[in-house]
Amino acid sequence: RIGALVADVNRSIQSYIYLISWKNPLLTGTSFVIFLFTTLRFDTEYFGSLPIFWLICCMVYLAWTRKDAKNRFREREKVARLQNYNKYVATKGDASPLHRPLGQLEVSVR
């Protein structure tokens, strides 16, 4: 989980660097105009609410990207299981489903 958090922070930093790098002039220009407008028009009494607002925005963005990551993880897991099943069928020669071996437990009461 900590690794996912670090990856999310790195992704956020990379997104911010892309935003301010002028690689996409329309995006950077639009964000600059929005920043300029909010700087000139925003009431400074509410300055303390900005970190919470940005935190909420980041959390929504990361939740949106994580939903896509879960789908990618499920697909990768599905492909891996299918490959294991195909390897099992190739070595055993039958298409019986994989199962865990069962054991027998004997209990005696004295």
Side-chain angles (χ1 to χ4, degrees):
R1 292 183 186 200
I2 291 175
L5 181 63
V6 170
D8 289 342
V9 169
N10 285 336
R11 215 170 329 161
S12 298
I13 291 170
Q14 292 300 322
S15 297
Y16 176 73
I17 289 172
Y18 178 75
L19 181 70
I20 63 172
S21 69
W22 288 97
K23 289 181 182 176
N24 185 349
L26 181 64
L27 177 67
T28 306
T30 304
S31 64
F32 178 69
V33 168
I34 291 171
F35 171 75
L36 192 61
F37 178 77
T38 54
T39 303
L40 295 175
R41 303 295 292 169
F42 191 70
D43 192 3
T44 55
E45 290 179 9
Y46 300 111
F47 184 74
S49 67
L50 285 178
I52 295 171
F53 173 73
W54 286 114
L55 180 66
I56 290 171
C57 289
C58 286
M59 290 175 70
V60 168
Y61 172 74
L62 293 175
W64 180 63
T65 58
R66 183 150 308 159
K67 187 174 91 172
D68 291 338
K70 282 183 182 178
N71 290 336
R72 285 193 307 262
F73 177 75
R74 287 184 191 134
E75 276 300 313
R76 191 171 55 219
E77 190 68 25
K78 190 168 123 181
V79 167
R81 286 179 185 237
L82 208 78
Q83 288 174 347
N84 284 341
Y85 179 73
N86 290 337
K87 189 185 301 181
Y88 175 79
V89 169
T91 58
K92 299 294 183 187
D94 63 345
S96 61
L98 295 175
H99 65 279
R100 290 185 172 182
L102 298 176
Q104 184 175 357
L105 178 66
E106 294 182 19
V107 179
S108 63
V109 180
R110 291 185 183 202

